[in-house]
């Protein structure tokens, strides 16, 4: 069958170009716009990359209208119900679900790499006690490249693989160290004999000289949240990792760039912003006031945890988390008035014409903070939690990209709207 094309005609010259239409295995076809430049001498203009596919990828598929999210073909609902976070990470990175033997070996390797260098522990003392943990994460993760410079040759497959494992393994250790530093508690060494989530909770909350039995409910729900945040195709932070990586930067620097991009409230910073917003709203009588603020074009306020670039029906992750909220709060016997407030806010917003027209629904982070709060995780750590989970996706995309033949530096162009060329004026004449 011949390839479909899109014929583009220049209105003034009548010159035409046939643009090839590329078909993926699922989803919207994509037009190869190379000829815009090579034939017409034009760039394409797409601020925010609303209509641009930046790469080919086999990792994650999203159908935003139908609320579908697949990792390597597996629906998120099935992974969330039956999988573990490390199993999902293995799937994202390797393309297939692991056998029991493969998963055991993977867990063993991740557990074995979970320590951080003693010298790295001293980095934390350079941060003020009230430094935001995401600020520490960006710095400390980036600095990992200073510890593994013998094994960060991005052209060597073995170096790439061990870098990905190290990142996945050390993120919880670094994250917990950020928290312990902020409360002046000694760091806790990772335990390779515990599961990924149990180990993290132990590093966060155990007290020296005391036994800390990890609550299995807490470990289970953390596992669920990590699965739901593990990957989301070419979102802002993943695209940042890919862009940094296209220059040949080392993996730790690339992931640090991803962490920085995740921090913004329009992206992963939303989970922290949601709790702050709900606290500010305070009680249901104030909801109409905040809905009005969100609709007011002269007010920068937005309903945090609402809206998504891709999902225009519902975010399947939000549906799972909302359901989990009920179960977790009940099991942990944690009565959080913010959860009821969030439910009321959602109900009112979803009936409002402004939100209906714009297809604005709760996203993954509308409810995730309620669960983190119930687990005793402080609000400033919420985006760090996201970063731990998303490291699975970031590394999977980084590895995929590095395997691509003919990969080129990502270098967009621009529509220049500044002053045309002019002559330099000496300072006394300005
Ligand atoms: N509250 C009020 N209005 C909103 C909201 C919101 N949360 N989100 C979008 N809108 C409005 C916009 O103002 C715009 O209105 P207009 O058409 O009258 O100008 C319209 O809906 C379309 O929104 P865009 O800004 O074009 O949507 P975009 O795809 O660029 O942005 C984003 C998506 C960043 C998620 C946005 O919805 C937002 O800021 N939401 C709040 C922050 C948030 O929850 N971020 C987490 C996203 S999920 C994640 O990263 C894990």
């Amino acid at each position: 069958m011949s390839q479909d094309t899109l014929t583009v005609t220049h209105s003034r010259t009548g010159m035409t170009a046939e643009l090839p239409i590329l078909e993926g295995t699922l989803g919207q076809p994509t037009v190869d716009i190379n000829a815009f430049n090579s034939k017409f001498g034009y760039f394409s203009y797409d601020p925010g990359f609303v209509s641009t596919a930046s790469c080919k990828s086999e990792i994650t598929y999203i159908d935003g209208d139908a609320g579908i999210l697949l990792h390597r073909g597996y629906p998120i609902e099935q992974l969330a119900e039956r999988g573990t976070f490390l199993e999902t990470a293995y799937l994202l990175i390797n393309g297939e679900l692991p056998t029991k033997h493969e998963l055991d070996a993977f867990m063993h390797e991740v557990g074995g790499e979970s320590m951080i260098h003693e010298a790295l522990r001293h980095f934390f003392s350079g941060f003020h006690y009230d430094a935001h943990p995401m600020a520490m994460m960006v710095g400390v993760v980036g600095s990992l490249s200073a510890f593994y410079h013998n094994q960060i040759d991005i052209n060597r497959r073995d170096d790439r693989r061990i870098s990905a494992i190290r990142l996945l393994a050390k993120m919880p250790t670094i994250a917990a160290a950020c928290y312990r530093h902020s409360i002046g508690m000694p760091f806790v060494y990772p335990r390779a004999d515990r599961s990924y989530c149990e180990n993290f909770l132990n590093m966060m909350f155990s007290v020296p000289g005391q036994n800390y039995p990890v609550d299995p409910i807490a470990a289970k729900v953390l596992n669920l949240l990590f699965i739901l945040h593990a990957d989301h195709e070419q979102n802002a932070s993943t695209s940042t990792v890919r862009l940094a990586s296209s220059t040949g930067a080392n993996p730790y620097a690339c992931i640090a760039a991803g962490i920085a991009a995740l921090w913004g409230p329009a992206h992963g910073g939303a989970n922290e912003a949601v709790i702050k917003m709900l606290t500010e709203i305070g009680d249901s009588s104030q909801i109409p006031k905040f809905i009005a603020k969100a609709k007011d074009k002269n007010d920068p306020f937005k309903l945090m945890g609402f809206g998504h670039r891709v999902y225009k029906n519902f975010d399947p992750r939000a549906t799972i988390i909302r359901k989990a909220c009920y179960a977790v709060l009940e099991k942990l016997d944690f009565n959080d008035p913010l959860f009821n407030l969030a439910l009321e806010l959602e109900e009112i917003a979803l009936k409002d014409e402004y939100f209906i027209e714009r297809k604005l629904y709760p996203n993954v982070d509308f409810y995730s903070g309620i669960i983190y709060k119930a687990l005793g995780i402080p609000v400033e750590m919420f985006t760090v939690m996201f970063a731990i989970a998303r490291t699975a996706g970031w590394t999977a995309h980084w590895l995929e990209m590095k395997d691509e033949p003919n990969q080129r530096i990502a270098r967009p162009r621009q529509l220049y709207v500044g002053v045309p060329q002019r002559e330099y004026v000496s300072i006394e004449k300005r």
Side-chain angles (χ1 to χ4, degrees):
M1 203 174 74
S2 67
Q3 184 178 41
D4 280 351
T5 58
L6 185 74
T7 307
V8 185
T9 308
H10 191 286
S11 60
R12 185 166 40 80
T13 62
M15 190 163 64
T16 63
E18 297 288 320
L19 306 182
I21 297 179
L22 313 175
E23 296 279 352
T25 44
L26 287 173
Q28 224 166 302
T30 297
V31 180
D32 178 344
I33 57 167
N34 200 281
F36 280 163
N37 191 8
S38 61
K39 193 150 185 195
F40 296 124
Y42 292 145
F43 298 134
S44 59
Y45 180 63
D46 184 22
F49 308 120
V50 177
S51 307
T52 297
S54 63
C55 62
K56 290 181 183 168
S57 180
E58 298 179 2
I59 299 172
T60 289
Y61 171 74
I62 305 173
D63 181 333
D65 293 324
I68 290 172
L69 169 60
L70 309 176
H71 291 322
R72 302 282 190 183
Y74 295 103
I76 189 64
E77 292 80 2
Q78 293 178 22
L79 293 169
E81 196 181 325
R82 296 162 63 186
T84 65
F85 172 65
L86 277 191
E87 191 185 13
T88 306
Y90 183 101
L91 172 71
L92 291 168
I93 290 171
N94 297 293
E96 293 296 336
L97 283 169
T99 62
K100 168 94 178 66
H101 174 73
E102 286 165 339
L103 183 59
D104 286 348
F106 186 64
M107 285 163 57
H108 184 73
E109 200 177 9
V110 170
E113 289 290 345
S114 56
M115 297 264 267
I116 53 173
H117 195 286
E118 282 298 305
L120 191 69
R121 288 161 59 89
H122 299 307
F123 277 40
F124 288 91
S125 45
F127 291 106
H128 204 246
Y129 75 94
D130 61 355
H132 195 285
M134 282 298 278
M136 294 191 252
M137 289 299 287
V138 175
V140 176
V141 172
S143 74
L144 285 174
S145 47
F147 291 84
Y148 300 105
H149 41 80
N150 293 337
Q151 281 178 299
I152 49 172
D153 182 348
I154 54 166
N155 298 315
R156 290 190 41 181
R157 186 176 284 270
D158 283 353
D159 283 15
R160 298 201 297 262
R161 207 190 75 82
I162 191 65
S163 300
I165 297 279
R166 283 187 176 138
L167 278 156
L168 202 55
K170 294 181 200 306
M171 282 294 278
T173 314
I174 295 171
C178 291
Y179 172 59
R180 304 287 288 209
H181 175 71
S182 69
I183 55 166
M185 288 277 278
F187 298 162
V188 178
Y189 284 104
R191 295 263 307 255
D193 61 335
R194 295 200 164 176
S195 76
Y196 195 82
C197 294
E198 286 170 345
N199 171 47
F200 175 70
L201 290 169
N202 185 57
M203 288 189 293
M204 284 284 287
F205 299 123
S206 66
V207 175
Q210 288 180 29
N211 193 20
Y212 178 73
V214 173
D215 183 342
I217 298 170
K220 192 167 173 226
V221 72
L222 192 57
N223 180 63
L224 172 75
L225 289 179
F226 280 176
I227 292 173
L228 296 176
H229 286 90
D231 189 45
H232 213 229
E233 55 118 296
Q234 310 310 323
N235 56 82
S237 57
T238 303
S239 297
T240 303
V241 170
R242 280 185 178 262
L243 198 126
S245 161
S246 78
T247 69
N250 77 67
Y252 304 105
C254 295
I255 302 301
I259 296 171
L262 185 75
W263 194 359
H267 191 12
N271 54 13
E272 182 178 335
V274 168
I275 296 296
K276 288 186 172 155
M277 175 189 75
L278 291 173
T279 310
E280 200 188 335
I281 295 175
D283 73 86
S284 51
S285 66
Q286 297 299 310
I287 292 177
K289 187 176 114 192
F290 281 84
I291 295 267
K293 269 167 76 63
K295 289 156 54 171
D296 181 356
K297 290 290 160 213
N298 298 316
D299 191 326
F301 175 78
K302 280 193 171 179
L303 217 51
M304 299 315 289
F306 253 77
H308 198 276
R309 169 60 62 77
V310 184
Y311 293 119
K312 299 298 173 197
N313 181 337
F314 65 95
D315 180 338
R317 303 166 302 171
T319 309
I320 299 170
I321 297 186
R322 190 199 301 103
K323 206 168 131 205
C325 264
Y326 284 106
V328 172
L329 297 186
E330 195 188 317
K331 279 189 189 150
L332 296 176
D333 201 16
F334 188 87
N335 183 13
D336 189 348
L338 290 192
F339 181 42
N340 294 329
L341 190 61
L343 289 170
E344 280 184 73
L345 179 59
E346 177 187 353
E347 199 185 331
I348 293 172
L350 292 184
K351 285 186 190 143
D352 191 295
E353 208 41 52
Y354 174 96
F355 291 88
I356 295 170
E357 247 176 40
R358 290 168 180 76
K359 301 184 175 169
L360 300 170
Y361 294 83
N363 59 51
V364 66
D365 280 328
F366 192 62
Y367 289 105
S368 64
I370 308 248
I371 298 188
Y372 285 135
K373 211 164 145 262
L375 298 182
I377 310 258
V379 177
E380 295 72 37
M381 283 290 290
F382 288 1
T383 313
V384 173
M385 307 300 289
F386 194 153
I388 297 174
R390 189 52 60 85
T391 300
W394 290 331
T395 51
H397 283 271
W398 177 75
L399 289 166
E400 179 180 70
M401 188 176 167
K402 289 289 153 206
D403 269 339
E404 252 172 46
N406 310 321
Q407 186 254 307
R408 301 175 74 185
I409 187 168
R411 185 16 177 126
R413 300 305 302 266
Q414 63 171 10
L415 178 64
Y416 178 69
V417 292
V419 179
Q421 185 169 340
R422 51 182 164 167
E423 290 301 312
Y424 180 84
V425 181
S426 57
I427 195 155
E428 58 282 0
K429 291 192 180 152
R430 279 177 227 158

